[in-house]
């Protein structure tokens, strides 16, 4: 069974992080916990972002494997490297903290990745704030 590690690096995202967390709850409600894990990397936030995510992790970790890592310095590249080092999945999906998971995303990602070779790389994604014809349209065609 293929597993996807969903990684979110955040820094001072208190105004938007709760929307992302709500979209994760909504879209992963019926997902298989053996197929997904979540890794949140706080990139040394100075606002309430860490507190929001920590509270969410405490509730959500009874359903999925969830890791919350606090960094002592702000570095996006090092934070992403931390996420890659902590990931247990066959694939890692980086989600921006100011995004929201679109409807059907877990199923569509799994379906897209299943047919790819092991050494493939996928760049791009679907966010609720983009109206462009993009990966999102392609993903919908797989449904």
């Amino acid at each position: 069974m293929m597993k996807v590690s969903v990684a979110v690096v955040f820094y001072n995202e208190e105004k938007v992080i709760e929307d992302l967390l709500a979209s994760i709850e909504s879209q992963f409600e019926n997902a298989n916990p053996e197929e997904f894990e979540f890794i949140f990397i706080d990139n040394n936030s100075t606002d309430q972002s860490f507190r929001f995510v920590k509270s969410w992790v405490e509730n959500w970790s009874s359903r999925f494997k969830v890791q919350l890592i606090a960094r002592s310095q702000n570095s996006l590249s090092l934070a992403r490297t931390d996420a890659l080092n902590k990931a247990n999945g066959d694939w890692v999906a980086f989600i921006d903290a100011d995004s929201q998971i679109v409807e059907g995303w877990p199923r569509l990602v799994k379906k897209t990745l299943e047919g790819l070779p092991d050494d493939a790389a996928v760049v791009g994604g679907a966010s609720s704030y983009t109206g462009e014809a993009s990966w999102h349209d392609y993903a919908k065609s797989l449904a």
Side-chain angles (χ1 to χ4, degrees), residues 50 57 70 73 79-80 92 101 106 120 140:
F50 183 83
V57 165
Q73 65 186 67
R80 287 185 175 167
V92 178
I101 305 295
K140 280 186 164 182

Side-chain angles (χ1 to χ4, degrees), residues 82-123:
D82 287 349
L84 290 172
N85 289 333
K86 296 292 184 180
N88 295 305
D90 303 297
W91 291 89
V92 178
F94 284 96
I95 307 294
D96 290 339
D98 63 350
S99 298
Q100 294 180 29
I101 305 295
V102 296
E103 184 176 341
W105 188 87
R107 179 179 44 80
L108 296 172
V109 165
K110 295 286 289 185
K111 191 171 182 177
T112 300
L113 297 177
E114 284 172 350
L116 296 177
D118 292 339
D119 60 353
V122 179
V123 178

